[in-house]
Amino acid sequence: MLDSMVFKSILSHSFDFPVKVNYADGTTKQYGGNGIPEAIITFHDNIPIKKLIKSPSICLGEAYMNGIIDIKGSIQKIIASAYRSEGSFLRNAHIKKYHPHQNHSEKKNQADIHSHYDIGDDFYKLWLDKTMTYSCAYFENANDSLYQAQMNKIHHILKKLNPKPNKTLLDIGCGWGTLMLTAAQEYNLNVTGITLSEKQFNYVNNQIQKLGLQDKAKVILEDYRELKHAPFDYITSVGMFEHVGHKELPNYFKIIDKYLKNNGVAVIHGITRQQGGASNAWLDKYIFPGGYIPGLVENVTDIVKSRLQLSDLESLRRHYQHTLEIWDKNFNEHRTEIIKLMGERFTRMWDLYLQACAASFEAGNIDVMQFQLTKGPSGINLPMTREYMN
C-alpha cells in the first residue's frame, strides 16, 4: 500500500500532457491535465519503492522489459515530459541516482564493444540504412531520407577537415566504414580505420576488397591507445568518446594530439551534455556497458589540456532526435522479425532504449556536438570563413 502511494505521489508531478495510469491495486489516476489521455501506463504488479529509490532507470526499465509495465502511446513523449517536469521520477531530488562503477581497461573496453556492436549485422540491417551508419544523421532538408542524411553527415564531417588529396586520415572507432571509405573514394585520402568490433572489422575489410580500395584504405582491429601507425594529417572520430569513460577522457584527447601532425585538423563527433557529465545505470547494465556522457565543459577542458585548440563547435541535438525517431520507426516496422531473431524481452528493451534516447535529446537532457580541432593555433590552415563546410 505504501509503495503504491509513493508511486502515485511521484507520478502526479511527472507529466505535462494527459496521461492515464492504471495501478496494480486496481485504481486509475489521470495526470497532466484533463481531456482524452494521450498515453496509458499500466502496472500489472506492484514495484517495491526501494528499487525505484535506488535506481529509477533500472527499476522502471526492467519493469517494462519484463512486461510488468505496459505503455499505450509514445514512450518518447512520456519520457520527454518527465525530463521537463519538476518533481518527476527523473528529476526528484529524493530519488538516489545510482552511478555504476566503470572500468575502461583495454580488455574491458573490448568486452563492452562486443556486447553492443557484435549483436549481429542481421539485427542492425533491419533498422539502419544501407550505409550501416549507427550515429547521428544530418538532415539538410526536411524530406531527406535516412540514407541521404547519413551521407550528408559523412560529407559534413569530411568537409570540415578541408581535406587535400593524398593526405592521410585516421578514423578512430570507424564503425562499418562509411566515413573512411567515402574519404578514400571521393576525397582521394589514404585512410586508416580502427575498431574493437570483430564484426565491423570483417565487414570493412570486405568492403575494401569489394570496392578495390586496397591501396587507399585499411582497417585495424585494435584498441585505439595501441595504434603505432602515426601521425596523420587528419583525424575523425564519430560516436567514440561516449565509450572511453570519465577517467580516460583526458587521455583520449591527448592521444588525438599525439596521432595528429602539426597543424593537422580533427573533427570529433559525439554525445555530450550541456549540464555536465552523467551516466545511466540502465543503459550501462543493458545497452552500453561503460557508457559515460561527458559534459561540454569537461570536453573543452580536456581538449585545451591536450594542447589541441578548438576552432569550431556545432550542436546537432535536433538531428539526433530525428535520427532516433526514424530508427525506432524502422525498428517497429520489423518488430515481428526482431522478436523471432532476438526474443520479446530484448525487443522491448531496444524499443525502450531508442525512444528514451530520442526523448532525452528532445528535452535537451543530452546533446550531440562536432568539435573541430587543430594541432596548432585555432583554425590554422583552414579558410577564414565557414563556407567551405557547406
Side-chain angles (χ1 to χ4, degrees):
M1 178 64 73
L2 179 61
D3 290 345
S4 179
M5 290 174 59
V6 173
F7 259 99
K8 290 174 182 178
S9 175
I10 293 172
L11 292 181
S12 68
H13 302 287
S14 292
F15 310 112
D16 56 11
F17 69 98
V19 176
K20 184 169 80 171
V21 181
N22 299 318
Y23 289 100
D25 63 5
T27 60
T28 296
K29 298 286 184 181
Q30 181 159 317
Y31 307 116
N34 298 320
I36 299 173
E38 298 176 36
I40 300 173
I41 302 171
T42 300
F43 289 81
H44 296 293
D45 199 356
N46 290 312
I47 298 174
I49 197 64
K50 288 182 179 179
K51 288 186 176 182
L52 181 76
I53 290 174
K54 181 179 179 181
S55 176
S57 66
I58 289 180
C59 172
L60 297 175
E62 289 181 341
Y64 181 77
M65 289 163 57
N66 296 328
I68 295 172
I69 295 175
D70 272 321
I71 296 173
K72 183 179 180 180
S74 170
I75 296 173
Q76 176 183 339
K77 189 170 183 178
I78 288 170
I79 295 177
S81 175
Y83 276 122
R84 291 190 298 263
S85 301
E86 293 289 344
S88 76
F89 59 91
L90 291 177
R91 299 185 63 181
N92 192 303
H94 299 292
I95 297 178
K96 297 178 183 178
K97 299 297 187 294
Y98 172 73
H99 296 287
H101 173 73
Q102 296 181 338
N103 170 16
H104 287 90
S105 67
E106 293 183 16
K107 184 176 181 180
K108 183 62 167 60
N109 273 12
Q110 186 173 35
D112 290 346
I113 292 299
H114 285 320
S115 73
H116 189 84
Y117 294 98
D118 288 346
I119 292 172
D121 290 353
D122 289 344
F123 167 66
Y124 285 107
K125 285 177 181 176
L126 288 173
W127 52 276
L128 296 178
D129 69 289
K130 65 182 181 181
T131 69
M132 293 289 283
T133 303
Y134 185 32
S135 58
C136 175
Y138 184 67
F139 295 88
E140 293 179 354
N141 301 291
N143 60 349
D144 281 343
S145 67
L146 179 59
Y147 167 75
Q148 183 60 58
Q150 290 293 5
M151 293 308 301
N152 293 345
K153 187 267 302 292
I154 297 299
H155 290 291
H156 193 54
I157 290 172
L158 291 172
K159 286 177 182 177
K160 285 186 176 184
L161 299 172
N162 194 35
K164 299 297 184 287
N166 297 313
K167 296 285 188 177
T168 56
L169 167 68
L170 171 66
D171 189 22
I172 300 175
C174 65
W176 282 276
T178 305
L179 186 150
M180 59 174 284
L181 298 176
T182 301
Q185 283 186 296
E186 299 188 34
Y187 294 80
N188 196 23
L189 295 177
N190 298 304
V191 301
T192 300
I194 187 166
T195 180
L196 278 175
S197 166
E198 291 183 9
K199 289 189 180 294
Q200 290 178 346
F201 171 77
N202 292 331
Y203 182 91
V204 176
N205 254 331
N206 289 335
Q207 289 297 104
I208 290 172
Q209 301 298 318
K210 179 180 177 181
L211 297 170
L213 293 173
Q214 296 91 328
D215 295 334
K216 299 291 294 183
K218 63 180 176 181
V219 61
I220 299 171
L221 183 65
E222 190 172 51
D223 190 285
Y224 74 100
R225 290 167 286 193
E226 298 300 324
L227 187 65
K228 303 298 189 298
H229 310 273
F232 296 84
D233 297 295
Y234 313 112
I235 293 177
T236 54
S237 188
V238 178
M240 173 69 185
F241 64 57
E242 305 94 312
H243 297 287
V244 305
H246 172 69
K247 292 182 179 179
E248 192 62 26
L249 265 173
N251 189 44
Y252 169 78
F253 288 106
K254 286 178 182 177
I255 286 175
I256 290 173
D257 174 74
K258 175 184 174 182
Y259 291 167
L260 194 60
K261 289 182 179 179
N262 289 332
N263 301 330
V265 184
V267 176
I268 311 303
H269 169 120
I271 300 172
T272 185
R273 294 184 81 243
Q274 299 203 27
Q275 304 91 327
S279 58
N280 179 280
W282 182 77
L283 288 175
D284 184 83
K285 183 174 181 179
Y286 289 104
I287 306 293
F288 282 113
Y292 170 76
I293 306 302
L296 174 59
V297 172
E298 183 180 2
N299 274 333
V300 173
T301 299
D302 290 335
I303 287 166
V304 172
K305 287 182 178 180
S306 74
R307 301 184 306 161
L308 296 164
Q309 292 203 1
L310 180 64
S311 53
D312 191 82
L313 178 63
E314 182 178 12
S315 168
L316 301 178
R317 179 189 63 80
R318 291 182 294 171
H319 294 266
Y320 215 160
Q321 176 190 338
H322 191 37
T323 303
L324 282 153
E325 289 167 349
I326 294 174
W327 283 346
D328 192 64
K329 179 177 180 292
N330 293 346
F331 183 93
N332 278 292
E333 286 176 353
H334 294 278
R335 192 178 185 99
T336 301
E337 296 167 73
I338 294 171
I339 290 172
K340 289 180 180 178
L341 187 68
M342 310 299 293
E344 176 72 28
R345 188 171 188 265
F346 176 95
T347 302
R348 289 173 70 95
M349 177 179 76
W350 267 76
D351 186 24
L352 175 60
Y353 153 61
L354 292 171
Q355 291 199 59
C357 286
S360 203
F361 281 109
E362 179 182 346
N365 180 57
I366 53 178
D367 208 323
V368 62
M369 296 190 180
Q370 290 182 354
F371 299 78
Q372 184 197 54
L373 311 174
T374 51
K375 186 172 180 176
S378 62
I380 193 167
N381 291 336
L382 294 173
M384 292 287 283
T385 63
R386 301 180 83 252
E387 279 76 10
Y388 72 96
M389 298 181 183
N390 300 320

